[in-house]
Amino acid sequence: MIQAILFAVTAGVLVGISRQVNGRLSLSTSPMVSSFFNHIVGFAVMCVVAVIVGGLIPPTIRDIPYYAYLAGPFGVIFVAAGSLAITRIGAVNTAVLIIGGQMITGAAMDLAEGVTAAPLLRFSGLALILVGMLLAQGRRA
Amino acid sequence: MSRSLPYFFVAFAAGCLMAVMTHLNAVTAFYGSPMFASWVGHGAGTIAAIIILAVLYLIRPKDTASEPKPRAPWWAYLGGVSGAATVITASLAVNSPLALSGAIALGLGGQVLFSLAADQWGFFGLAARKLDRRDLLTVAFILAGSLLVILAGAQA
């Protein structure tokens, strides 16, 4: 259990490190160039991982709907946006705004799919997130 | 209206995009594995980035005599290593007794704690931004709200 907790927390820290490092590169280049290097380097690493682990190409590859491959291009915009934001409003604001947007959109997507469990919990959570985001942008500079 | 407000919108919109992206990645991972989803995502992303950069280059305004930027340190090109490592640690965490909701909650916690430290001390060549009480309050609200939303999701 301790190990699983460490993995989960580390995953979060790695997200923060990657945004910080990409932000630094965007200062010297541009957010899009930074996003390009993030993806090409990440692709190289994933190629190595795939060779080590094996079984990269799933046998059900033809079942994957084409729209799912949009995740990659969306990721490029996501990383560029994160690199731009972190250099202007800092790591905390960037992180909390991204998390807020993610939670609100995720909940909206759940609702659209007819997932309506625990509405009280869900909406009070979203309300807290909204308050947090308003607080974040209210700070001067 | 503060000058930084547009960047708050940029970060918020990025989060919205992230939710859609996570969903698409989950679709790909369902038919394959998280490893395949990340591999193909980074590959498709690289191609998309090249196309976007080419378009930006073609439509660039003429004679932009921008001041020279400081050179990037070598490690600044390695953000993708950390991004790829995230996939591995995240899938290890999800395939554990924590399950998806627990892994997401702890991951958010790790990300926010790191960001607090990064702002306070200025990690990886980015400027420090001394934390104040409002930052801590913001973080508390966002994390508490996220926990409730995750809990609600886990009950579905």
Side-chain angles (χ1 to χ4, degrees):
Chain A
M1 195 62 179
I2 300 281
Q3 210 185 11
I5 292 171
L6 278 180
F7 283 139
V9 175
T10 305
V13 171
L14 286 170
V15 169
I17 291 179
S18 139
R19 199 175 294 142
Q20 200 85 5
V21 170
N22 286 326
R24 175 61 189 87
L25 181 57
S26 81
L27 281 182
S28 291
T29 56
S30 74
M32 261 314 298
V33 168
S34 164
S35 183
F36 164 73
F37 278 105
N38 175 78
H39 281 79
I40 198 163
V41 169
F43 185 66
V45 173
M46 286 314 295
C47 284
V48 174
V49 171
V51 167
I52 294 170
V53 178
L56 171 67
I57 306 297
T60 50
I61 190 165
R62 284 175 183 281
D63 297 334
I64 301 175
Y66 288 119
Y67 67 78
Y69 292 107
L70 282 174
F74 283 5
V76 167
I77 308 291
F78 172 75
V79 171
S83 298
L84 177 64
I86 197 171
T87 57
R88 308 292 176 116
I89 58 174
V92 169
N93 285 332
T94 305
V96 295
L97 264 293
I98 287 178
I99 292 169
Q102 204 181 335
M103 288 292 155
I104 289 172
T105 309
M109 282 169 23
D110 280 351
L111 280 180
E113 282 176 14
V115 180
T116 49
L120 191 65
L121 214 53
R122 194 181 298 262
F123 285 110
S124 39
L126 292 175
L128 287 178
I129 290 171
L130 275 178
V131 173
M133 292 198 309
L134 288 175
L135 264 177
Q137 70 79 32
R139 177 178 163 157
R140 308 229 161 261
Chain B
M1 186 117 109
S2 89
R3 264 211 325 235
S4 53
L5 193 60
Y7 299 103
F8 283 90
F9 278 113
V10 166
F12 177 71
C16 300
L17 197 61
M18 174 79 172
V20 179
M21 217 172 83
T22 308
H23 173 72
L24 296 178
N25 266 327
V27 171
T28 309
F30 175 78
Y31 291 104
S33 61
M35 179 176 75
F36 177 73
S38 174
W39 179 79
V40 81
H42 279 96
T46 304
I47 297 167
I50 291 171
I51 294 171
I52 295 170
L53 284 172
V55 171
L56 288 177
Y57 180 77
L58 289 176
I59 62 166
R60 74 192 184 284
K62 289 189 182 85
D63 55 73
T64 44
S66 60
E67 49 195 289
K69 293 169 174 172
R71 260 186 66 128
W74 61 271
W75 48 259
Y77 291 90
L78 299 183
V81 176
S82 183
T86 308
V87 179
I88 299 161
T89 47
S91 45
L92 287 172
V94 170
N95 293 312
S96 76
L98 289 175
L100 185 61
S101 48
I104 293 175
L106 285 169
L108 293 183
Q111 190 190 145
V112 165
L113 280 180
F114 176 83
S115 306
L116 286 167
D119 268 353
Q120 179 70 22
W121 293 297
F123 290 170
F124 294 105
L126 293 189
R129 195 181 136 278
K130 290 278 173 266
L131 299 174
D132 62 15
R133 214 180 309 153
R134 185 192 286 265
D135 287 309
L136 302 181
L137 212 56
T138 301
V139 162
F141 271 106
I142 301 271
L143 281 186
S146 301
L147 275 180
L148 294 188
V149 173
I150 293 165
L151 273 176
Q155 289 189 6

